[in-house]
Amino acid sequence: MKIIAGLGNPGIRYATTRHNAGFMTVNMIAGRLGLSPGGSKHRSLSAKGQYEGEQLLLLQPQTYMNESGLAVAEALRFYKLTEEDLLVVYDDMDLPPACLRLRRDGSSGGHKGMESIIRHLGTANISRLKIGIGHAVFDAADFVLQPFGKEEWPQMAAALKLAAEAALFWSLNGIGAAMNKYNGV
């Protein structure tokens, strides 16, 4: 089993904000697999399904971004999985808008959700898929909680679709192959 955890904040107020790029990606994956994240388990909206024979658990932690690690760690413990079975999908202000970057490990880069996951799992060896949202031109907290602008949506929709494809590819082929195929696209 593999877990794809998309980070974001719960509630309609945040649904289309930059900080919810991870939730949006999980929704795209779920749609592609005919699933609907809705089961409430592990402090998350979740959905289980299969992709080309690989069992997947899609997670959208409902703990708010800054405590994402609570939900992710709970799911890993419950299924007796390791961080090698986990891909975390989230927004990144240090990447240009709609740019994707997969990494095998590393620091949180200041992202509070990733920081929480690293803290709760006790390791930075966590595969991640970052989706560029561009850099804040004003307060970072306000920026990430703003919805994408109308002019940004076509580019972001394409990036989210590609992120969903990359996450599914990761589930079958691992982080190294996914980095080779999707970094720089």
Side-chain angles (χ1 to χ4, degrees):
M1 174 185 271
K2 302 289 185 196
I3 296 177
I4 300 173
L7 304 188
N9 287 310
I12 195 71
R13 174 179 176 210
Y14 301 107
T16 60
T17 64
R18 290 174 173 85
H19 226 15
N20 275 32
F23 274 17
M24 291 180 229
T25 301
V26 164
N27 286 338
M28 293 195 103
I29 296 168
R32 182 167 172 184
L33 301 180
L35 305 172
S36 177
S40 183
K41 197 170 187 177
H42 313 299
R43 303 179 200 208
S44 302
L45 293 180
S46 62
K48 267 188 186 178
Q50 292 222 354
Y51 176 67
E52 295 189 16
E54 179 68 56
Q55 189 172 16
L56 295 178
L57 176 65
L58 305 178
L59 286 183
Q60 293 175 323
Q62 299 295 290
T63 53
Y64 287 90
M65 184 64 80
N66 294 358
E67 289 298 337
S68 298
L70 290 168
V72 171
E74 186 176 303
L76 282 174
R77 280 192 307 273
F78 182 85
Y79 292 103
K80 296 177 177 60
L81 299 173
T82 69
E83 60 274 359
E84 291 177 9
D85 302 308
L86 172 67
L87 179 70
V88 180
V89 184
Y90 61 97
D91 61 289
D92 190 321
M93 284 194 318
D94 292 328
L95 290 175
C99 179
L100 302 183
R101 175 95 21 88
L102 285 131
R103 291 195 58 201
R104 182 181 310 275
D105 56 22
S107 74
S108 69
H111 192 280
K112 301 296 185 197
M114 196 64 210
E115 188 176 291
S116 173
I117 292 170
I118 290 169
R119 184 174 69 250
H120 284 278
L121 295 183
T123 182
N125 295 327
I126 302 161
S127 296
R128 70 230 27 211
L129 170 53
K130 302 186 288 183
I131 302 167
I133 60 169
H135 201 69
V137 292
F138 49 91
D139 180 67
D142 287 340
F143 178 74
V144 298
L145 296 178
Q146 295 292 318
F148 289 110
K150 188 177 180 179
E151 67 286 347
E152 295 173 284
W153 269 115
Q155 185 181 25
M156 288 311 301
L160 294 169
K161 182 177 179 184
L162 189 61
E165 179 184 306
L168 289 170
F169 185 86
W170 163 85
S171 75
L172 299 176
N173 301 287
I175 192 64
M179 289 168 59
N180 286 337
K181 182 169 182 170
Y182 291 96
N183 282 352
V185 174

